[in-house]
Amino acid sequence: MATQKRVRKSPEERRAEVYGAARAIALESGLAAVTQRAVAERVGVAPALVTHYVTRMELLVAEVFRDIAREELELVRASVEAVGDDPIERVVALLRGLIEDYRRDVALIWVDGWSLSRRNDDLAAVLVEEARAWEGFAAEVFQAGDAAGAFHAPDPLALARFVVGATDGLSAQSAVWTGVERETVGYVLEAVAALLRIPAEELARASY
Amino acid sequence: MATQKRVRKSPEERRAEVYGAARAIALESGLAAVTQRAVAERVGVAPALVTHYVTRMELLVAEVFRDIAREELELVRASVEAVGDDPIERVVALLRGLIEDYRRDVALIWVDGWSLSRRNDDLAAVLVEEARAWEGFAAEVFQAGDAAGAFHAPDPLALARFVVGATDGLSAQSAVWTGVERETVGYVLEAVAALLRIPAEELARASY
DNA sequence: GGTCTAGTTGACCAAGTGATCAATAACTGA
DNA sequence: TCAGTTATTGATCACTTGGTCAACTAGACC
């Protein structure tokens, strides 16, 4: 509308603006909504400027996804580290991070990612990378507990894959529906306790 | 290319062709690939004919999804009925249907569905409907077993939601990666056995 | 204050989407 | 055989997408 006076910023600053807008759009409306024009409008700039900084939109989408996913992982990693060295408490923190704290928008971003990665090779590569990072972290938590003799996890990576895959599904589910997160955590704790060959109360006790 | 002689078919037959093409495209390349022109080309017909039979493309996509999902559910339902009345064997059949038999393409269709439903209201409605149907069926299986005293399932619907949500995630996971389906079934059986308060061997025994 | 670098823009293009509609022609039935 | 019904089509529209490029100008620097 307004023929606003054109402002000239440093490449770094502008790049950050473009990137931040793309990220915000992704979280609000999904990865598919991250278009050249949508980003440009949000920044308040001509569409051409977006491509000037971005080279390829597909790459921008992939990059946005990567950072959102990675940030989420680091958040969970931090909360696991925060609880200290007790293997069981670390598992509980991990599971809470996977379910309870899982933000609705982030869960939907993952779903978008899997769907879009069929047509976006850059995104597909990033997606696999980030999924492996999640698995790797979960595997570490399980492996450490097994080594310490706190529970039974002879194949930490396989267990991690299982737990991450299952909780991803649950997160997506509760992202679309609502009000079922509470009981979900209980089921997850109980199921994982069984897989770890420890009484369910052990996880439940550590969980408040 | 070829100016092939135009053929004239009955509306019912043509409608079925259009619908079948849409379905095939969805299974091969995802729901997002179900476009007017893609369907037309597959049928070997002018794009205009597709809209002539379809009214709105969004509705076609939603309808295709509904039928794919429903058929999958009926398949699993049939395999559960086929094992007879034993509650435990029925649970095993259900879980196998949710994981092992879950076809890669169908799992991806679900992911596509969740992602696309943000922009396709018809699809969103169908998706919720089909998800509820899955939950409802799983809840029946759990409820019957609980009533028969075969296992412990005081809240069958909540448990069903949990199991369906978790297995959806695992299906999507193994649809994208490969070679992990085998061990996944084992984990699922073990985890569900714990939730049902029965020894893991009970499910494992029924599973071969 | 003038100059010049380079950030920014408008005007495009090509490709793809769904959808409409008058015109065409294939088959049916008399 | 020959109309008449109607399935089918080509042409075309409106809109969205990513992307290019010469031209413009804001702001730093001398």
Side-chain angles (χ1 to χ4, degrees):
Chain A
M1 211 83 326
T3 54
Q4 51 193 354
K5 190 153 166 275
R6 87 167 55 165
V7 285
R8 188 187 175 108
K9 302 191 176 181
S10 75
E12 302 75 43
E13 191 179 354
R14 202 54 111 178
R15 209 183 304 270
E17 280 186 4
V18 166
Y19 185 78
R23 180 195 168 91
I25 292 169
L27 286 171
E28 284 174 16
S29 314
L31 287 179
V34 179
T35 68
Q36 182 192 23
R37 284 163 178 77
V39 172
E41 188 179 6
R42 190 173 190 111
V43 177
V45 102
L49 194 63
V50 173
T51 59
H52 179 249
Y53 283 108
V54 160
T55 66
R56 272 172 48 227
M57 286 305 293
E58 283 194 351
L59 272 176
L60 177 62
V61 171
E63 202 175 342
V64 162
F65 173 85
R66 192 193 59 214
D67 288 8
I68 291 175
R70 191 162 294 178
E71 183 189 312
E72 194 75 3
L73 171 57
E74 293 313 320
L75 231 57
V76 174
R77 195 194 301 270
S79 81
V80 168
E81 297 303 335
V83 302
D85 290 334
D86 181 66
I88 293 200
E89 285 185 11
R90 287 171 71 88
V91 167
V92 172
L94 169 66
L95 297 178
R96 287 201 175 284
L98 277 167
I99 303 286
E100 210 171 43
D101 304 335
Y102 218 105
R103 287 176 298 166
R104 176 191 156 86
D105 43 17
V106 176
L108 287 174
I109 291 284
W110 271 93
V111 174
D112 274 352
W114 288 119
S115 181
L116 259 50
S117 63
R118 238 196 260 227
R119 281 155 284 148
N120 182 340
D121 291 341
D122 303 303
L123 180 59
V126 168
L127 215 79
V128 169
E129 197 180 320
E130 293 308 312
R132 290 215 189 285
W134 268 100
E135 287 178 2
F137 172 62
E140 276 174 36
V141 173
F142 290 131
Q143 199 278 324
D146 181 73
F151 45 70
H152 180 75
D155 190 345
L157 184 56
L159 178 60
R161 263 203 276 266
F162 173 75
V163 169
V164 171
T167 52
D168 274 2
L170 292 167
S171 297
Q173 187 186 59
S174 63
V176 180
W177 299 350
T178 49
V180 291
E181 303 88 353
R182 188 67 49 85
E183 61 194 10
T184 298
V185 177
Y187 281 118
V188 169
L189 290 175
E190 196 172 341
V192 172
L195 296 177
L196 295 176
R197 305 255 202 280
I198 59 176
E201 300 80 38
E202 295 249 352
L203 289 189
R205 190 190 320 139
S207 72
Y208 57 88
Chain B
M1 218 75 330
T3 54
Q4 49 193 353
K5 190 151 166 277
R6 89 165 54 165
V7 286
R8 188 189 174 108
K9 302 192 175 180
S10 76
E12 302 75 43
E13 191 179 354
R14 203 53 112 179
R15 210 182 303 272
E17 280 185 2
V18 166
Y19 185 78
R23 181 195 168 89
I25 291 169
L27 286 171
E28 284 174 15
S29 313
L31 287 178
V34 179
T35 67
Q36 182 191 24
R37 285 163 178 78
V39 172
E41 188 180 7
R42 191 172 189 112
V43 177
V45 103
L49 193 63
V50 173
T51 59
H52 178 250
Y53 283 108
V54 160
T55 65
R56 272 171 48 228
M57 287 305 292
E58 283 194 351
L59 272 176
L60 177 62
V61 170
E63 203 175 342
V64 163
F65 173 85
R66 192 193 59 213
D67 289 7
I68 290 175
R70 190 162 294 178
E71 183 190 311
E72 194 75 3
L73 171 56
E74 293 313 319
L75 231 57
V76 174
R77 195 193 301 271
S79 81
V80 167
E81 297 303 335
V83 302
D85 289 334
D86 181 66
I88 293 201
E89 286 185 9
R90 286 170 71 88
V91 167
V92 172
L94 169 66
L95 297 178
R96 287 200 176 285
L98 277 167
I99 302 286
E100 209 170 43
D101 305 335
Y102 219 104
R103 288 174 299 166
R104 175 192 156 86
D105 44 18
V106 176
L108 287 174
I109 291 284
W110 273 93
V111 174
D112 274 354
W114 288 120
S115 182
L116 259 50
S117 64
R118 236 195 263 228
R119 279 155 284 149
N120 183 340
D121 291 340
D122 302 303
L123 180 59
V126 168
L127 216 80
V128 169
E129 197 180 320
E130 293 308 312
R132 290 213 189 287
W134 268 100
E135 286 178 3
F137 172 64
E140 278 175 35
V141 173
F142 290 131
Q143 198 280 323
D146 181 73
F151 45 71
H152 180 75
D155 189 344
L157 184 57
L159 178 60
R161 262 203 276 267
F162 174 76
V163 170
V164 171
T167 53
D168 273 2
L170 292 167
S171 298
Q173 187 187 58
S174 63
V176 181
W177 300 351
T178 48
V180 291
E181 303 87 355
R182 187 66 51 83
E183 61 193 10
T184 298
V185 178
Y187 282 117
V188 170
L189 290 175
E190 197 173 340
V192 172
L195 296 177
L196 295 177
R197 306 256 203 278
I198 60 176
E201 300 80 40
E202 295 248 352
L203 290 189
R205 189 190 322 136
S207 72
Y208 56 89

